[in-house]
């Protein structure tokens, strides 16, 4: 399998179109905050010959593969092993004071989904790891072994929006008394057995639980809550950001941060906008854009995507 076969970037042309006005000058800095296997980054480096890439990823396998893929661009590429809430520090470590364009392609990557032994997919039996950075942190198996029923229910409800959270939490507690839950296949069996037959017709019982475990293992939402403001903070006037989200919890968080950044803080009732309180950003798309039917047909991973984008129009207060 070649490097170009293992990942089809989602909404690639639209991302390039939205970020192009900020990246066309020589010396522009582009941050791919979720580098993955480098598909988006490769396209940007090809499209903008004066561009410097700062690529971030917490997954060392992704950094290795992307490094091979982007090696032909030489010193135009700086790769950083970090979680994306460290975006400002990563840009500074690469020798830059700001970023002209930033892309976040959130969620689990194709590399992580396709490698069964990583434990992200409920359709394949594997160790319950789910760490995006396999060099550190708690695994999904650790969570299933140590969390109490209330904590399991909480993460299933909050991060999976799972209606049967309580039932599943009880089933897991009961099952682990017999033996540790260390593989995805056993967890799927426990969840199916705990699911009423009628509920099984509305989707795979494991889908939301696996999502919730992945988010908890990688602290995805708390990281994102820090990352978006940090990213907005390093954009100069004219700088642009695009975020691709694949589930509602992420998208709502991005929507809120963008709404705050693009809102006026002028006290209500005043007849004019106060310059110091004018919006710092403007939204580049109305609401959240979806992938076209054609792209969904050719790249199924684009099906749930929600794209939001913004441009800085005023300096920091």
């Amino acid at each position: 399998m070649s490097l170009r076969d293992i990942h089809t970037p989602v909404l690639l042309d639209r991302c390039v179109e939205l970020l192009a006005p900020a990246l066309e000058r020589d010396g522009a800095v582009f941050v791919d905050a979720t580098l993955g296997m480098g598909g988006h980054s490769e396209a940007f480096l090809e499209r903008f010959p004066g561009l410097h890439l700062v690529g971030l990823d917490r997954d060392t396998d992704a950094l290795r593969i992307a490094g091979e893929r982007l090696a032909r661009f030489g010193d135009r590429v700086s790769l950083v092993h970090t979680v994306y809430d460290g975006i400002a520090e990563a840009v500074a470590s690469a020798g830059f004071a700001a970023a002209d364009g930033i892309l976040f392609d959130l969620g689990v990557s194709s590399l992580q989904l396709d490698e069964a032994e990583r434990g992200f997919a409920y359709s394949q039996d594997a160790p319950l790891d789910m760490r995006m950075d396999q060099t550190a942190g708690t695994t999904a198996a650790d969570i299933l072994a140590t969390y109490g029923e209330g904590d399991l229910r909480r993460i299933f409800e909050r991060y999976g929006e799972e209606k049967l959270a309580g039932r599943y939490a009880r089933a897991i507690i009961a099952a682990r008394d017999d033996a540790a839950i260390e593989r995805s296949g056993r967890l799927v069996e426990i969840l199916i057995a705990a699911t009423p037959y009628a509920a099984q017709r509305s989707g795979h019982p494991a889908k939301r639980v696996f999502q919730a475990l992945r988010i908890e293992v990688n602290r995805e939402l708390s990281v994102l809550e820090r990352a978006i403001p940090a990213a907005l903070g390093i954009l100069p006037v004219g700088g642009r950001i695009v975020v691709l989200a694949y589930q509602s919890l992420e998208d709502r968080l991005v929507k809120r941060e963008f709404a705050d950044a693009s809102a006026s803080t002028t006290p209500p009732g005043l007849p004019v906008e106060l310059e110091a309180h004018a919006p710092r950003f403007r939204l580049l798309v109305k609401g959240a854009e979806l992938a076209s039917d054609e792209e969904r047909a050719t790249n199924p991973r684009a099906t749930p995507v929600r794209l939001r984008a913004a441009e800085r129009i005023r300096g920091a207060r």
Side-chain angles (χ1 to χ4, degrees):
M1 184 183 296
S2 73
L3 290 175
R4 286 170 178 76
D5 290 335
I6 56 180
H7 177 47
T8 303
V10 171
L11 291 177
L12 176 59
D13 291 341
R14 185 59 171 146
C15 290
V16 171
E17 178 186 11
L18 286 165
L19 291 171
L23 300 178
E24 289 172 331
R25 69 171 182 84
D26 280 349
V29 176
F30 168 58
V31 179
D32 189 338
T34 48
L35 180 67
M37 290 177 286
H40 282 106
S41 287
E42 181 180 47
F44 277 90
L45 287 162
E46 289 176 340
R47 171 69 172 77
F48 305 104
L51 187 71
H52 189 99
L53 165 73
V54 181
L56 283 53
D57 212 293
R58 66 171 85 182
D59 189 328
T60 54
D61 285 346
L63 286 169
R64 174 183 54 78
I65 292 171
E68 295 172 3
R69 183 176 196 162
L70 305 176
R72 61 191 173 97
F73 298 104
D75 61 6
R76 294 175 57 204
V77 173
S78 301
L79 302 185
V80 184
H81 180 217
T82 187
V83 185
Y84 47 69
D85 60 346
I87 185 170
E89 295 81 3
V91 169
S93 73
F96 302 102
D100 299 286
I102 299 172
L103 173 66
F104 284 85
D105 186 8
L106 300 174
V108 63
S109 74
S110 298
L111 172 65
Q112 292 154 351
L113 282 171
D114 292 342
E115 291 192 359
E117 64 272 17
R118 301 292 292 272
F120 287 97
Y122 55 81
S123 59
Q124 299 172 300
D125 184 44
L128 280 165
D129 190 318
M130 296 195 191
R131 291 173 299 168
M132 293 178 177
D133 180 355
Q134 291 188 297
T135 68
T138 300
T139 68
D142 294 331
I143 288 172
L144 293 172
T146 60
Y147 279 29
E149 182 181 324
D151 285 334
L152 289 174
R153 177 174 183 159
R154 171 185 57 81
I155 66 170
F156 297 162
E157 286 178 338
R158 182 179 179 191
Y159 299 147
E161 300 179 293
E162 175 54 68
K163 295 178 181 178
L164 299 177
R167 180 189 289 261
Y168 289 154
R170 289 191 296 274
I172 287 167
I173 295 296
R176 80 184 188 193
D177 286 341
D178 295 331
I181 304 168
E182 297 179 339
R183 298 189 65 87
S184 57
R186 180 158 184 250
L187 177 57
V188 168
E189 290 172 359
I190 293 165
L191 296 172
I192 290 176
T195 305
Y197 180 73
Q200 293 186 30
R201 294 198 296 266
S202 62
H204 198 290
K207 181 178 180 179
R208 294 184 180 88
V209 169
F210 270 62
Q211 173 180 296
L213 285 170
R214 189 200 82 216
I215 291 172
E216 177 73 1
V217 165
N218 297 289
R219 302 290 192 262
E220 291 177 47
L221 292 181
S222 60
V223 168
L224 187 61
E225 282 182 322
R226 296 187 295 270
I228 298 300
L232 296 177
I234 60 171
L235 286 172
V237 174
R240 293 185 168 205
I241 180 172
V242 171
V243 182
L244 306 178
Y246 296 84
Q247 43 102 343
S248 60
L249 296 172
E250 292 173 336
D251 184 55
R252 286 201 294 266
L253 193 156
V254 175
K255 177 183 179 181
R256 184 184 72 229
E257 295 292 342
F258 279 16
D260 289 347
S262 59
S264 169
T265 58
T266 295
L270 293 185
V272 295
E273 177 82 77
L274 299 179
E275 184 177 352
H277 293 268
R280 295 168 292 138
F281 286 80
R282 71 179 181 98
L283 303 182
L284 297 173
V285 300
K286 184 176 181 179
E289 284 191 4
L290 311 180
S292 66
D293 291 341
E294 181 181 0
E295 176 155 0
R296 294 183 194 194
T298 58
N299 186 8
R301 285 177 181 158
T303 299
V305 74
R306 301 290 185 271
L307 178 151
R308 296 183 187 272
E311 177 185 27
R312 181 180 281 280
I313 56 175
R314 188 173 67 83
R317 296 186 184 92

